[in-house]
Amino acid sequence: MQTGSAAPMPIPGHIDPVPVPRALPMRSDGRIDLLGLSKGDLRMALETAQLEPKQAKLRAKQLWHWMYNRGVTDFALMTDISKQLRPWLEQRFVISRPEVVTAQVSSDGTRKWLLRSDDGQDYEAVFIPDADRGTLCVSSQVGCTLNCRFCHTGTMRLVRNLTQAEIVGQVMLARDALGEWPSQPEGRMLTNIVMMGMGEPLYNFDNVRDALRIVMDGDGLALSKRRITLSTSGVVPMMARAGEEIGVNLAVSLHAVTKEIRDEIVPLNRKYGIEQLLQACADYPGANNARRITFEYVMLKDKNDSDADARELVRLIKQYKLPAKVNLIPFNPWPGAPYDTSTPERVKAFSNIVFEAGISAPVRTPRGRDIDAACGQLKTSAERKSRADLDRLAEEKQAALG
């Protein structure tokens, strides 16, 4: 028989959870930034400011439309919100955009923005126009967690993760610059997003996931998940979650087909080896011939560009039965880089071997090189590091990764 001190048996049945307001970041002027809030947090922000719940639900829906469908940042322009409520909103809230430090346009039409956060941290976003699409390359971190040796961004220390608002803000800024409001699927220049800017997206998983959910929401920006690609250097434990919780296309920075070479140029391989990585690709939710996994492969002269490397790449893709294509990327040099660019003839020969095996292997045309906007060139500071400095930083990052 139980004693009287035993805990009471819980009453079965449905229990409505009591919503707990999330602590929302407040700006120095005392207002809360609505950019990047989920629909639930947007409604909760209004309720926390003492708007009646039913009213908050309606106004949150209206605000969402104005912010993400029409790109409006001024409450005074929101015509279906009462004139009495607009000043109330203005006093308590703001809809921000990232601060633009510099905006550059390449000779090939590529645009690069150097952006600055409220705490003075710099990061970059790049828009790449093509005949049939326009792709925005979005950053996920200030600096980078990793130390891929061919990548200029990888020579930076990680400062911090970008917030949900800072990730969404890059998309909003690009839409502003391209004049693409109100939001509509037809005729837009910004058609695709790649999480391939500064940082490793899967080391900032929650913010990247929640930001992309806003970008994909059909009531606002409405970019299909089929038009969004997340690139990882191989953070194996997070790949399945990315497929299940975000569901976008997957790109993997492979860059080598042997342990020895990949350990050198993508040191994360020492923690998650090629076999683990390729198995995670094979298990990636939703991957099929219609939604192939993209392998990014930077061509480094006399390092990873031989015929034998190409044949091993084919063997691995077939061994793991991967629905895949390979993007061959000519190396974009930067001061102090330890590698050279493969010759066009060598890149072509490598591509032909992969193509002849029935696997698509296009060569990516470098874009925005003249403004340091090409793959691996994003870097917010012009400081030069010695080879010893680069090696020391790489060792520190590797030790932190374990």
Side-chain angles (χ1 to χ4, degrees), residues 24-34 75 88-96 118:
L24 300 174
M26 192 170 290
R27 292 160 39 106
S28 58
D29 62 7
R31 295 187 292 174
I32 289 172
D33 193 350
L34 299 181
F75 296 109
W88 184 89
L89 290 168
E90 184 74 32
Q91 290 169 8
R92 292 162 176 79
F93 304 107
V94 67
I95 302 167
S96 73
D118 288 342

Side-chain angles (χ1 to χ4, degrees), residues 21 24 32 34 41-52 56 85 88-89 91-93:
L24 300 174
I32 289 172
L34 299 181
D41 283 340
L42 179 56
R43 185 175 70 249
M44 191 62 68
L46 296 176
E47 287 190 32
T48 303
Q50 307 305 310
L51 205 60
E52 186 269 333
L85 188 59
W88 184 89
L89 290 168
Q91 290 169 8
R92 292 162 176 79
F93 304 107

Side-chain angles (χ1 to χ4, degrees), residues 50 125 136 142 177 331:
Q50 307 305 310
L136 182 68
V142 179
F331 173 60

Side-chain angles (χ1 to χ4, degrees), residues 148-180:
C148 301
R149 298 306 298 273
F150 60 86
C151 179
H152 202 190
T153 314
T155 67
M156 299 177 65
R157 294 183 185 278
L158 174 69
V159 179
R160 65 169 174 81
N161 288 331
L162 290 177
T163 66
Q164 193 172 318
E166 288 165 341
I167 296 169
V168 174
Q170 295 173 64
V171 183
M172 304 295 280
L173 177 74
R175 294 287 294 272
D176 290 346
L178 297 170
E180 297 205 331

Side-chain angles (χ1 to χ4, degrees), residues 329-371:
I329 307 168
F331 173 60
N332 295 304
W334 42 270
Y339 304 111
D340 292 323
T341 306
S342 300
T343 65
E345 296 76 19
R346 182 91 296 275
V347 175
K348 181 65 174 173
F350 192 105
S351 175
N352 286 342
I353 290 171
V354 181
F355 263 119
E356 287 166 6
I359 300 165
S360 177
V363 179
R364 183 188 295 174
T365 303
R367 301 291 299 274
R369 271 184 173 177
D370 55 329
I371 58 172

Side-chain angles (χ1 to χ4, degrees), residues 41-189:
D41 283 340
L42 179 56
R43 185 175 70 249
M44 191 62 68
L46 296 176
E47 287 190 32
T48 303
Q50 307 305 310
L51 205 60
E52 186 269 333
K54 191 172 182 180
Q55 177 89 305
K57 183 178 180 180
L58 170 64
R59 299 309 178 192
K61 184 176 181 179
Q62 291 172 318
L63 285 168
W64 186 275
H65 175 82
W66 284 107
M67 290 164 61
Y68 295 117
N69 190 279
R70 305 187 73 85
V72 171
T73 59
D74 186 348
F75 296 109
L77 300 178
M78 300 181 181
T79 52
D80 60 352
I81 294 177
S82 69
K83 290 183 179 180
Q84 294 78 15
L85 188 59
R86 293 177 214 168
W88 184 89
L89 290 168
E90 184 74 32
Q91 290 169 8
R92 292 162 176 79
F93 304 107
V94 67
I95 302 167
S96 73
R97 290 292 189 270
E99 176 191 349
V100 179
V101 180
T102 59
Q104 296 174 275
V105 181
S106 167
S107 58
D108 62 21
T110 298
R111 302 187 186 203
K112 182 174 80 167
W113 296 277
L114 174 60
L115 308 174
R116 182 162 294 158
S117 64
D118 288 342
D119 61 348
Q121 301 300 334
D122 293 349
Y123 54 103
E124 293 179 331
V126 174
F127 176 71
I128 306 164
D130 281 304
D132 60 342
R133 68 174 61 192
T135 302
L136 182 68
C137 183
V138 175
S139 292
S140 58
Q141 295 179 313
V142 179
C144 188
T145 314
L146 303 178
N147 55 329
C148 301
R149 298 306 298 273
F150 60 86
C151 179
H152 202 190
T153 314
T155 67
M156 299 177 65
R157 294 183 185 278
L158 174 69
V159 179
R160 65 169 174 81
N161 288 331
L162 290 177
T163 66
Q164 193 172 318
E166 288 165 341
I167 296 169
V168 174
Q170 295 173 64
V171 183
M172 304 295 280
L173 177 74
R175 294 287 294 272
D176 290 346
L178 297 170
E180 297 205 331
W181 303 110
S183 182
Q184 55 186 17
E186 300 82 19
R188 54 166 69 149
M189 291 176 65

